[in-house]
Amino acid sequence: MSQSQHTDDRPVLVLNAGSSSLKYQLLVPESGEVRTGGVVERIGERGSDVADPAAALETMTDRLLEEGIDLGKVPLRAVGHRVVHGGPDFSEPVVIDDAVLQRIRQLSALAPLHNPAAVTGIEAAREHYDVPHVAVFDTAYFSSLPAAASTYAVPRELAEKHSIRRYGFHGTSHQFVAQATAELLGHPLVDLRQVILHLGNGCSASAVRGGRPVETSMGLTPLQGLVMGTRSGDVDPGLHAYLAREAGLTLDEIEALLNKRSGVLGLSGVNDFRELVHLVEAGDEDARLAFDVFIHRLKHYVGAYLAILGGADVLVFTAGIGQHSATVRAAVAEGLDELGIAVDPSRNEDDSTQPRVISPDGSRVVVAVVPTNEELAIARQTADLVR
Ligand code: ADP
């Protein structure tokens, strides 16, 4: 290996093209140095001058130029793209060629709300940057879920024909946090049973044994599981037919209702968790119910995953709400002493940005806050693949 390969400090551009935003970060995977980053929002919204992910890329390029970064001249190593759904095909990151792009496009059937934006973003970025492009899939980490966990109890032929299974999402985050938690505790990853709660705009839980996921709360789509900002999470599957018959809603309307107008928003009128907590403190009853439903569902999953794992060594909180809301962490742990779970109030209130333990010394289950860093994880996986 040449000297220059040892000291490669060329950055990777990480792109996360969603239906209404493009998040970007330019960073050096080995050191974690972030050269710049940001988000282009309101893509495709009325009154916005950013029509689609391709236009968002132009906006990003202009913004970077204003910062003095000319992406045409920066010695870029590669571009790493977050892709939500890898379907049954992709169980690890892959260098994007025309065939891969075509397959990601086809997987839009499984993720109509997510993959099309990624495809448009990848197409535009490939035209702009003549470097290797890598797709890192949100589903990849969970592709090794045991069959008992990933299989829905529907007729097998139908499931095979239409690739129906539990895929799980936020995999890049759960994998990163599982590893970072092992480092925090100074324990080998292979020895740990972890329950990980990724609580951001989207929320998901996972049970991880020895670094391998054995359960996760999201399913065929990112709609299943925990209550989220605008998504319902688990509902009775019978709800769809009931709404179609009784409320006269179409399937598209039901999908939009459960993804965009439900969850914390549907119950309280706000989807930002900070606002929700303020409303709860101000005595708003709808907000109180939304908060209680959110916590109740979380406890439901924590209990389930303790049973799946036969007990846990660590319960981990991550992402925006998990990292910053001491109120949520305290509410989840409340009453779980019998299960070995408790938080120390002053450790819990400490709003550090570092990975940290918040349970009392000697607790049977360590409770930890471990910041996720999906951009860094994507940059590293991208660099590993093109090295
Ligand atoms: P994304 O899923 O888009 O990556 P984040 O992980 O940044 O989102 O999480 C966003 C959520 O975190 C929002 O609901 C936001 O209100 C919540 N959040 C951020 N800071 C706090 C805080 N101090 N207290 C409570 N919630 C917070």
Side-chain angles (χ1 to χ4, degrees):
M1 200 182 273
S2 74
Q3 185 64 23
S4 67
Q5 280 172 304
H6 277 297
T7 57
D8 195 345
D9 65 351
R10 291 174 303 159
V12 168
L13 175 64
V14 173
L15 295 180
N16 178 355
S19 56
S20 68
S21 72
L22 172 73
K23 291 185 190 156
Y24 57 91
Q25 210 173 85
L26 190 67
L27 74 168
V28 182
E30 290 76 13
S31 64
E33 176 204 346
V34 177
R35 301 256 169 101
T36 189
V39 55
V40 181
E41 287 176 300
R42 303 188 58 229
I43 299 172
E45 284 181 19
R46 206 178 308 150
S48 165
D49 50 5
V50 189
D52 56 22
L57 208 64
E58 303 280 354
T59 306
M60 176 196 84
T61 309
D62 292 345
R63 280 195 201 164
L64 294 183
L65 273 176
E66 282 168 24
E67 292 174 28
I69 299 173
D70 182 348
L71 278 179
K73 296 197 180 125
V74 169
L76 205 57
R77 204 183 312 183
V79 182
H81 297 266
R82 174 182 184 229
V83 179
V84 167
H85 217 309
D89 308 64
F90 300 109
S91 54
E92 42 192 49
V94 60
V95 175
I96 300 170
D97 59 18
D98 291 344
V100 166
L101 186 58
Q102 176 60 7
R103 193 60 196 122
I104 295 173
R105 194 178 284 119
Q106 287 164 350
L107 289 170
S108 293
L110 280 169
L113 303 179
H114 297 94
N115 275 30
V119 168
T120 317
I122 292 168
E123 283 170 339
R126 283 178 92 203
E127 275 178 29
H128 274 73
Y129 312 117
D130 188 18
V131 292
H133 290 251
V134 170
V136 178
F137 299 94
D138 238 27
T139 48
Y141 182 54
F142 295 116
S143 63
S144 64
L145 279 180
S150 67
T151 306
Y152 287 112
V154 298
R156 288 191 68 172
E157 261 178 49
L158 190 74
E160 271 163 35
K161 183 167 175 206
H162 296 288
S163 306
I164 298 167
R165 54 161 283 178
R166 187 193 285 276
Y167 288 98
F169 299 84
H170 293 148
T172 310
S173 175
H174 285 273
Q175 183 175 19
F176 179 90
V177 169
Q179 176 65 42
T181 302
E183 285 163 20
L184 169 70
L185 302 185
H187 272 291
L189 186 59
V190 292
D191 290 345
L192 286 177
R193 294 166 302 171
Q194 312 190 36
V195 176
I196 300 173
L197 304 178
H198 172 114
L199 310 177
N201 284 313
C203 299
S204 61
S206 69
V208 176
R209 180 187 286 119
R212 312 294 299 174
V214 294
E215 248 300 0
T216 192
S217 58
M218 285 178 167
L220 176 75
T221 75
L223 183 56
Q224 197 180 352
L226 300 174
V227 175
M228 316 184 204
T230 64
R231 291 179 227 155
S232 61
D234 296 336
V235 291
D236 183 334
L239 179 65
H240 295 70
Y242 182 77
L243 280 174
R245 280 196 306 266
E246 293 300 314
L249 298 184
T250 65
L251 279 179
D252 284 347
E253 287 167 342
I254 295 169
E255 186 171 54
L257 172 81
L258 296 178
N259 277 285
K260 302 195 167 139
R261 292 194 282 127
S262 295
V264 168
L265 175 69
L267 291 173
S268 73
V270 300
N271 68 348
D272 187 293
F273 220 84
R274 274 165 295 204
E275 276 181 62
L276 184 80
V277 172
H278 288 146
L279 286 174
V280 171
E281 286 165 0
D284 185 295
E285 283 182 20
D286 292 344
R288 178 83 246 169
L289 179 64
F291 184 87
D292 289 348
V293 173
F294 183 85
I295 298 295
H296 182 85
R297 186 80 52 83
L298 273 169
K299 286 192 170 192
H300 175 107
Y301 274 89
V302 170
Y305 290 2
L306 289 179
I308 295 283
L309 290 167
D313 302 299
V314 55
L315 170 65
V316 196
F317 288 89
T318 194
I321 301 167
Q323 287 165 217
H324 300 296
S325 180
T327 311
V328 165
R329 295 189 299 257
V332 170
E334 194 186 335
L336 301 188
D337 315 55
E338 289 277 322
L339 301 173
I341 294 173
V343 298
D344 175 279
S346 71
R347 289 180 179 177
N348 187 33
E349 295 291 339
D350 172 14
D351 200 19
S352 152
T353 56
Q354 296 302 310
R356 61 199 185 279
V357 170
I358 59 168
S359 46
D361 292 341
S363 287
R364 190 143 40 92
V365 179
V366 174
V367 182
V369 179
V370 177
T372 190
N373 193 338
E374 287 165 285
E375 289 78 13
L376 180 60
I378 291 171
R380 287 190 175 153
Q381 293 184 32
T382 298
D384 284 348
L385 205 59
V386 301
R387 191 164 283 137

